[in-house]
Amino acid sequence: MKKLTYNRVFFYILVVAWAALTVLNFAAPKKDFSENENRYLASFPKFTLARLVNGDFMADVENYINDHFVFRDGWVAVQSSLEYASGKRENSGVYIGKGALLSIIDEPDGKSTAKNIEAINYFASQINVPVSLMIVPSASEIQPEKLPNFAVTWSQRDVIADIYSQCEGVKCVSVYEILKEHFADYIYYRTDHHWTTYGSYLAYAEYCRALGLLPHDYVAETVSNSFNGTLYSKSGVRFIKSDTIESYKLGFNARCDVYSGGETKSYDSVYFDEYLDVKDKYAYFLGTNQPIVTIYRDTDSDGDNAKKLLVFKDSYAHCMAPMLLENYSQVTLVDLRYFRQQLNSVIDVADYDDVLFLYGIDSFVNSDDIYMLKFLYKPTADKTADS
């Protein structure tokens, strides 16, 4: 009898708990966006008889319930911890490493890589401005000791060297050696796919040396100790220590113009403090991804400091760009993932003294956004005459 009574009590507790969760699921406020997962959540699906019959409606309802389940972030954390305890060391394209999360980077797409090289060579041949290329290896290449056992990787060093060998009329800046020299330092975030400010500083100094510029010594200031980045969002892992974001403060006032494709907004800083209070703290550097961002130093410039730099980039460039203002009076950053106009209509390349292509390895070998330059840039009449 006692056993039967206990079973009934347990059953009633489960029923009450399930009913309470059901009520909470429907009563709790719904969010459109999950900051922890860095994605938009499913909206309630539109009902049609056809979608009900073919099963799409109920599948979408299930997705909606899963996305809006109460205490979802807590359940995600518990699930990832249990999976880790069971031996799982990868999730959603992320390696769960030793004290760090690391991107699983697909092997290079040969067609995309070739098209990007073709576009850079084309652009370099069509302008009278020196062109440089910097490809940044990922943490898994520079810090393989953090990878879980039996992780499968490929040689980014060899691929980067092969890319550089195919470039024509382009100064290729290798940062592999300097990053490898500092592999034990805090040069990549633990929860994000980007390099840290110190990692980008090492590359900045290497770029300056390659172009005969004098790298500036910056003093780092911690602006956040609670950064949880893209790999934190993708993996669902919540037990890796949060990251620290450092800012290298400039010895002069700096400002920026952000061109969204339709309008330009001006800001009195190159750092956006408001993003330190939200999940996407990396946007502290230059704000969110935009087609064109131009930064300026508000001091009198002469000699090398009066020069202008044009950068084609992915988000790896964001934390390095302010450092470059020590050597250039203006740095214009173009993101070809979002820019789809004729470049000549917005930028006169002849106004610039140097051009830099700066990309993380994954962007360069697994997408062909740079190839858009073949269609977005046409040489000016002056260049055609010079050729």
Side-chain angles (χ1 to χ4, degrees), residues 303-349:
D304 285 342
N305 288 347
K307 298 198 300 185
K308 297 180 182 180
L309 173 65
L310 176 61
V311 182
F312 294 96
K313 57 82 186 179
D314 63 12
S315 54
Y316 264 78
H318 290 199
C319 57
M320 183 198 290
M323 305 175 198
L324 291 162
L325 285 177
E326 188 65 35
N327 306 94
Y328 296 92
S329 62
Q330 175 182 322
V331 179
T332 298
L333 301 105
V334 180
D335 196 325
L336 292 168
R337 294 172 296 179
Y338 307 99
F339 185 78
R340 287 295 183 266
Q341 299 172 246
Q342 284 295 312
L343 188 66
N344 311 58
S345 67
V346 183
I347 291 174
D348 186 351
V349 178

Side-chain angles (χ1 to χ4, degrees), residues 293-306:
V293 177
T294 302
I295 61 177
Y296 310 86
R297 53 180 293 158
D298 283 347
T299 59
D300 293 333
S301 300
D302 54 18
D304 285 342
N305 288 347

Side-chain angles (χ1 to χ4, degrees), residues 44-90:
F44 194 82
K46 183 179 179 180
F47 175 82
T48 66
L49 185 59
R51 297 186 76 249
L52 178 63
V53 171
N54 66 22
D56 288 346
F57 177 75
M58 292 310 298
D60 289 346
V61 168
E62 184 178 353
N63 290 336
Y64 173 80
I65 292 173
N66 288 338
D67 271 6
H68 296 276
F69 198 84
V70 288
F71 314 124
R72 174 180 170 79
D73 289 338
W75 289 115
V76 168
V78 170
Q79 180 184 5
S80 65
S81 296
L82 291 174
E83 289 177 344
Y84 184 83
S86 70
K88 186 175 182 180
R89 292 297 182 269
E90 61 178 89

Side-chain angles (χ1 to χ4, degrees), residues 14 20 26 65 72 75 157 161 193 203 245 248 258 274 288 295:
L14 284 178
F26 282 98
I65 292 173
R72 174 180 170 79
W75 289 115
R157 183 181 191 177
H193 67 286
I245 294 180
Y248 284 8
V258 177
E274 60 267 30
T288 56
I295 61 177

Side-chain angles (χ1 to χ4, degrees), residues 190-208:
R190 292 180 290 270
T191 68
D192 192 77
H193 67 286
H194 294 102
W195 52 10
T196 64
T197 307
Y198 182 57
S200 71
Y201 173 77
L202 296 173
Y204 153 77
E206 203 68 16
Y207 170 80
C208 287

Side-chain angles (χ1 to χ4, degrees), residues 164-354:
Y164 284 177
S165 72
Q166 297 179 59
C167 291
E168 302 170 357
V170 176
K171 180 181 290 293
C172 296
V173 182
S174 175
V175 295
Y176 179 94
E177 292 78 11
I178 191 66
L179 292 175
K180 196 66 176 177
E181 182 181 334
H182 290 266
F183 77 96
D185 295 330
Y186 188 44
I187 56 176
Y188 291 95
Y189 292 117
R190 292 180 290 270
T191 68
D192 192 77
H193 67 286
H194 294 102
W195 52 10
T196 64
T197 307
Y198 182 57
S200 71
Y201 173 77
L202 296 173
Y204 153 77
E206 203 68 16
Y207 170 80
C208 287
R209 285 188 283 269
L211 269 73
L213 304 173
L214 181 64
H216 181 72
D217 290 329
Y218 287 99
V219 177
E221 175 183 329
T222 298
V223 294
S224 176
N225 287 311
S226 58
F227 175 41
N228 295 306
T230 55
L231 305 182
Y232 170 98
S233 299
K234 289 176 63 178
S235 67
V237 171
R238 302 292 182 259
F239 52 81
I240 299 296
K241 183 180 178 181
S242 297
D243 280 296
T244 295
I245 294 180
E246 290 185 334
S247 173
Y248 284 8
K249 294 301 183 182
L250 305 172
F252 46 81
N253 293 326
R255 57 187 176 86
C256 71
D257 292 338
V258 177
Y259 177 69
S260 62
E263 61 177 351
T264 299
K265 291 185 178 180
S266 298
Y267 300 87
D268 60 2
S269 176
V270 295
Y271 298 120
F272 289 69
D273 291 338
E274 60 267 30
Y275 285 103
L276 297 175
D277 297 323
V278 299
K279 168 69 171 56
D280 187 15
K281 289 178 172 54
Y282 189 76
Y284 167 76
F285 302 104
L286 304 186
T288 56
N289 291 318
Q290 297 290 344
I292 300 178
V293 177
T294 302
I295 61 177
Y296 310 86
R297 53 180 293 158
D298 283 347
T299 59
D300 293 333
S301 300
D302 54 18
D304 285 342
N305 288 347
K307 298 198 300 185
K308 297 180 182 180
L309 173 65
L310 176 61
V311 182
F312 294 96
K313 57 82 186 179
D314 63 12
S315 54
Y316 264 78
H318 290 199
C319 57
M320 183 198 290
M323 305 175 198
L324 291 162
L325 285 177
E326 188 65 35
N327 306 94
Y328 296 92
S329 62
Q330 175 182 322
V331 179
T332 298
L333 301 105
V334 180
D335 196 325
L336 292 168
R337 294 172 296 179
Y338 307 99
F339 185 78
R340 287 295 183 266
Q341 299 172 246
Q342 284 295 312
L343 188 66
N344 311 58
S345 67
V346 183
I347 291 174
D348 186 351
V349 178
D351 287 343
Y352 293 85
D353 300 277
D354 292 303

